Amino acid sequence: MCIKINEILAERHLPLLLRTSDGGPLKKEGFEAYRAELLSLLAQEVYGTAPAAPAEVRVSEQKCRPKEFAGKATVRELTLSFDTERGEFSFPVTEVRPNGVPKKCPMFVVLNFRPDIPDKYLPMEEILDAGCGVLRIYYNDVALDGDDGFAGGIAAMYDRERYTWGKLRMWAFAASRALDYLLKTDYVDRKRIAVAGHSRLGKTALLAAAFDTRFSLACVNNSGCSGAALSRGKEGERVRDITKRFPYWFCENYKKYADHEADMPFDQHFLIAAVAPRRVAVGAALEDIWADTDAQYLACCAASPAFELLGKKGFIHPDRLPQPGDFFSAGQITFHLREGTHFFSRADWHCYLSLI
């Protein structure tokens, strides 16, 4: 017997989306206040509270190579700096923008695991051939992906008693500072700036877009647990697994939901909904059991009403679970499922490039 998506979602017993404080249905004009409530809840219980954006982001150029990738691109090594409550903080980025483009180009702020360009997760020529540029952030330049007691990187620049943010939120904060810079340039299409990442950095990309409405698109690749996958009923990695192995990604409160996902007053469809009405692109891989393909797909389904409330097409999909080769891109939430393992592949990039 074919089980319908709504029946599967009903079995997950998800917290209701788009409800007012008295339990009534939310109206369109109340969405911005509701988004703030969602983000406050997720900050308090999962990702931690973060400082306000700095008043200014300064940029200095370290090196410029005007004819890279067979002359297709200009590559600039930059340093972004801003003031914190404990002095100036700086981190390097690499900007790659296409040459000879007659109009302003779309850009991807890409959080990556390595500083290399190109990289196995960053097929630069394909991106350039699509007329797009990249601003690459190497995440360890912002905050170490390890348990350093929040004593290094950007974590050391703010009072831990005031801000409970985990590393995911720190990396997302850096993505927004890169966006601050890009919005001041004269060659970037300000209406087409995406944030992209894979795995833990896919979680970060979704988080960045949820908290920063200036991003037009979030490319959320193989993000799984605490990213674009529902926690209730999830296969593979669960809250207990992720908070035990990577406690520094989150605030302390998240640990209390280990083996108690049913008690959470939220689930990950709340985070996707907070991006509405902008676009969210979720990518999954068939063999990525730890991330749980179906849980990611179902989160997209559950978040769709938020986009629909705002007059947009939400997640347009058949009434079934996903199959390899699926790419549902008609709405503001898109989803693709490819063959293969946990990886940020060219196949994933081709999907995301078609959306920006």
Side-chain angles (χ1 to χ4, degrees):
M1 180 176 66
C2 180
I3 300 178
K4 304 297 185 181
I5 292 298
N6 284 341
E7 294 175 2
I8 300 174
L9 287 174
E11 293 173 354
R12 303 283 174 120
H13 302 288
L14 299 177
L16 292 176
L17 193 63
L18 306 180
R19 291 294 185 271
T20 61
S21 57
D22 61 3
L26 186 73
K27 295 182 178 180
K28 180 179 180 179
E29 55 269 24
F31 185 78
E32 286 308 313
Y34 178 72
R35 185 212 309 276
E37 292 174 4
L38 290 184
L39 294 175
S40 178
L41 174 63
L42 292 167
Q44 183 68 34
E45 299 298 315
V46 186
Y47 304 104
T49 55
E56 177 190 33
V57 171
R58 299 176 289 276
V59 58
S60 60
E61 182 180 281
Q62 310 305 314
K63 187 181 295 185
C64 178
R65 301 187 297 277
K67 288 192 175 183
E68 290 291 285
F69 299 101
K72 293 179 181 179
T74 296
V75 178
R76 300 170 69 211
E77 303 292 340
L78 307 172
T79 299
L80 302 185
S81 305
F82 53 91
D83 294 329
T84 77
E85 60 187 32
R86 293 178 178 171
E88 184 180 73
F89 180 74
S90 302
F91 64 98
V93 298
T94 303
E95 180 187 76
V96 185
R97 56 187 173 96
N99 291 333
V101 176
K103 56 185 178 180
K104 294 185 178 183
C105 70
M107 293 286 289
F108 289 86
V109 174
V110 179
L111 295 133
N112 205 10
F113 294 95
R114 291 160 296 275
D116 310 319
I117 288 185
D119 177 69
K120 66 179 183 178
Y121 287 167
L122 195 56
M124 205 57 242
E125 285 202 67
E126 283 92 334
I127 296 170
L128 290 166
D129 289 344
C132 299
V134 160
L135 192 85
R136 188 275 307 149
I137 301 171
Y138 172 46
Y139 75 143
N140 275 324
D141 284 333
V142 176
L144 176 68
D145 187 11
D147 190 357
D148 61 354
F150 298 105
I154 196 171
M157 306 306 293
Y158 294 94
D159 184 356
R160 190 71 192 163
E161 295 297 320
R162 294 180 62 195
Y163 305 110
T164 62
W165 54 345
K167 300 293 180 77
L168 296 177
R169 191 91 194 265
M170 295 176 192
W171 300 326
F173 187 85
S176 288
R177 305 293 68 79
L179 179 58
D180 290 340
Y181 157 68
L182 289 173
L183 289 172
K184 293 181 179 179
T185 66
D186 59 4
Y187 48 80
V188 172
D189 186 340
R190 298 181 181 184
K191 295 182 179 180
R192 293 196 292 166
I193 303 178
V195 57
H198 168 69
S199 192
R200 67 199 64 181
L201 299 179
K203 307 181 208 300
T204 303
L206 180 57
L207 190 60
F211 277 91
D212 195 331
T213 59
R214 300 173 300 169
F215 285 113
S216 64
L217 168 67
C219 301
V220 186
N221 203 67
N222 296 188
S223 63
C225 183
S226 311
L230 293 178
S231 295
R232 286 168 170 82
K234 188 182 180 300
E235 300 294 331
E237 189 173 36
R238 303 291 297 270
V239 173
R240 171 172 290 281
D241 302 307
I242 203 167
T243 56
K244 182 177 180 180
R245 187 175 180 187
F246 304 110
Y248 44 86
W249 289 355
F250 309 100
C251 67
E252 283 292 319
N253 278 346
Y254 197 35
K255 295 178 182 179
K256 68 187 178 185
Y257 298 114
D259 295 329
H260 296 284
E261 287 91 348
D263 296 334
M264 299 188 308
F266 59 89
D267 211 314
Q268 294 309 114
H269 62 309
F270 280 25
L271 186 60
I272 297 174
V275 183
R278 293 160 296 130
R279 214 161 198 192
V280 180
V282 176
L286 184 63
E287 298 178 49
D288 192 5
I289 306 301
W290 200 234
D292 191 343
T293 292
D294 289 350
Q296 293 171 93
Y297 183 83
L298 292 169
C300 294
C301 297
S304 186
F307 296 78
E308 296 161 14
L309 177 70
L310 298 177
K312 300 289 187 178
K313 294 180 180 179
F315 185 35
I316 309 301
H317 61 92
D319 197 9
R320 60 166 173 80
L321 291 172
Q323 301 170 0
D326 282 343
F327 180 26
F328 304 127
S329 59
Q332 291 298 95
I333 303 175
T334 80
F335 179 92
H336 72 265
L337 174 60
R338 60 165 171 79
E339 300 275 4
T341 60
H342 188 74
F343 192 76
F344 201 171
S345 77
R346 283 165 168 76
D348 300 313
W349 269 107
H350 289 160
C351 291
Y352 302 138
L353 288 166
S354 74
L355 301 172
I356 197 170

